[in-house]
Amino acid sequence: MKTLNLTIPTLLGTESIVANEVKKLGYEVSSVSDGRVNFVGDYEAICLANINLRCAERIMIHMADFKATSFEELFAQTGKIEWEEYIGKNDAFPVVGHSLKSQLHSVPDCQSIIKKSIVKRLSNVYKTEYFEETKALFPIHFAIMKDIVSVYIDTSGSNLYKRGYRVKTVAAPMRETLAFAMVDISFWRGDRPLCDPFCGSGTIPIEAALYATNTAPGLRRKFVAETWIDIIGKDMWQDAREEARENIDHLAETLILASDIDKNAVEIAKENAKRAGVADKIRFSVCDFRKINPFDDKGVIICNPPYGERLLDVKECKIIYKDMGKKFAEFAQAKKIILTSYEKFEADFGKNADKKRKVYNGMLKCNIYQYFK
């Protein structure tokens, strides 16, 4: 089977988590950089990675890296790539990308040049000037950083944090990939209580339940590479999904508590959990965080409280964080994993974190504050 250089875009700050996931799938990580994990795999790896990775943003085939400071160079270098190995005569290949700190800074112009170059090469290969682009979809992504162009074919389609279970949301939802990252760095493995007192639409408890039951996050969605029938047959996808289904531990026993002061949010969270197939693993309740009961045993609190950015204002958040500090102190043996963009969180919470990890929740720069006890 063909050996591929595969690239996984990640949320900044979660690269090591994704690298460990790749290794657990049995593949070799070739390099890790800011927002990127690269590994060597094959077509089966595309299926397995898309279905099973919990913290990856998407899976892409890395086609080439080259330097380009002019449109002529961009056109010529793009045309050297063997696009015909993937893209058929009637396949679609839209181009998207971005450019930073480079002479080629106009993204629309770069999109146009790359598209024209691919068309010219495929025209020579297929002996045609017209492409219907009506069959399989091969999204082309490019990234230009300091005049170095990286070109990829996306295998995922919509971003992998879109699991398919969250049809309804509340204001300011967090990405599923970030929710799992918080669960992962807490070292929670389903063997002790987990509590989210600001559950919103249920993303953190649902991701925890999926993890505890070993339910693959991509089982309930489709991927763009499933249209590549001539390259990756339906059987390979079916086998990967069947293996993932067989790995689910439906009998997993764990205690996940999810609450929110907003009754509507809790109802939405329940619906999402049901759609994800883990409603029976989570205890939902409508409750102010100030009234939650301490654990009888060691546990973990993982939460995404209001930031004062999109929900509430800064004064209200300061009050919440001060009350959080008092209430969470009652959980003396519990680990606390808290995500917020509020820079003075530790001062208002009343305690410095044992460790901080910088991440982004959407476009918001945040910190995950980790309290080990």
Side-chain angles (χ1 to χ4, degrees), residues 118-347:
I118 297 173
V119 167
K120 182 179 179 181
R121 181 175 179 105
L122 295 180
S123 294
N124 292 333
V125 171
Y126 296 122
K127 309 303 180 185
T128 182
E129 296 296 324
Y130 177 70
F131 293 89
E132 292 183 356
E133 298 198 47
T134 56
K135 291 193 175 180
L137 178 61
F138 292 84
I140 310 299
H141 289 237
F142 69 87
I144 308 177
M145 172 61 76
K146 296 181 179 179
D147 298 325
I148 301 299
V149 183
S150 298
V151 189
Y152 310 89
I153 298 178
D154 176 32
T155 75
S156 301
S158 60
N159 215 304
L160 291 181
Y161 71 80
K162 297 179 179 180
R163 317 290 206 210
Y165 64 73
R166 197 169 68 176
V167 176
K168 293 184 179 180
T169 65
V170 296
M174 71 185 305
R175 288 191 178 189
E176 289 85 335
T177 44
L178 180 53
F180 171 71
M182 296 176 70
V183 172
D184 184 76
I185 64 176
S186 76
F187 297 104
W188 182 82
R189 300 296 181 262
D191 55 343
R192 49 201 160 131
L194 183 150
C195 173
D196 178 3
F198 299 92
C199 75
S201 57
T203 309
I204 291 173
I206 291 172
E207 288 298 314
L210 291 173
Y211 180 58
T213 56
N214 200 32
T215 302
L219 268 178
R220 290 170 175 80
R221 57 160 287 174
K222 295 292 185 179
F223 308 96
V224 71
E226 292 186 68
T227 68
W228 305 358
I229 303 300
D230 295 335
I231 298 174
I232 307 176
K234 290 183 178 180
D235 288 347
M236 194 173 291
W237 285 103
Q238 289 173 354
D239 290 345
R241 282 198 166 88
E242 185 58 34
E243 180 183 344
R245 290 190 187 98
E246 290 175 355
N247 289 333
I248 298 174
D249 182 4
H250 295 284
L251 300 179
E253 294 186 6
T254 187
L255 177 59
I256 301 174
L257 306 171
S259 59
D260 200 286
I261 198 171
D262 184 345
K263 181 180 179 180
N264 182 58
V266 173
E267 289 303 313
I268 290 173
K270 286 180 179 179
E271 288 185 37
N272 291 338
K274 184 177 181 180
R275 195 172 291 109
V278 293
D280 62 324
K281 303 298 180 184
I282 306 170
R283 296 183 189 176
F284 288 103
S285 64
V286 179
C287 181
D288 188 309
F289 76 92
R290 300 171 184 87
K291 298 179 180 179
I292 59 174
N293 294 319
F295 300 124
D296 294 329
D297 196 6
K298 292 182 180 179
V300 178
I301 301 173
I302 305 178
C303 62
N304 175 34
Y307 301 168
E309 296 274 357
R310 293 174 287 182
L311 293 176
L312 308 182
D313 58 30
V314 173
K315 288 183 179 179
E316 290 175 301
C317 286
K318 285 174 71 70
I319 294 172
I320 287 176
Y321 294 152
K322 287 181 179 180
D323 289 346
M324 281 174 61
K326 296 174 184 176
K327 183 62 183 181
F328 287 10
E330 296 178 20
F331 298 77
Q333 299 299 316
K335 292 183 179 179
K336 293 94 177 176
I337 311 295
I338 304 164
L339 175 74
T340 178
S341 66
Y342 182 57
E343 294 183 356
K344 297 181 180 179
F345 170 77
E346 290 168 298

Side-chain angles (χ1 to χ4, degrees), residues 87-107:
I87 303 173
K89 182 179 179 180
N90 297 311
D91 295 336
F93 46 101
V95 179
V96 298
H98 64 269
S99 177
L100 295 172
K101 301 178 181 179
S102 300
Q103 294 185 53
L104 298 178
H105 53 80
S106 171
V107 171

Side-chain angles (χ1 to χ4, degrees), residues 64-101:
D65 291 322
F66 54 84
K67 185 174 182 179
T69 57
S70 68
F71 290 132
E72 291 78 13
E73 284 182 303
L74 181 62
F75 186 92
Q77 293 293 338
T78 300
K80 293 179 181 179
I81 300 171
E82 296 177 340
W83 297 105
E84 64 276 9
E85 289 192 3
Y86 299 93
I87 303 173
K89 182 179 179 180
N90 297 311
D91 295 336
F93 46 101
V95 179
V96 298
H98 64 269
S99 177
L100 295 172
K101 301 178 181 179

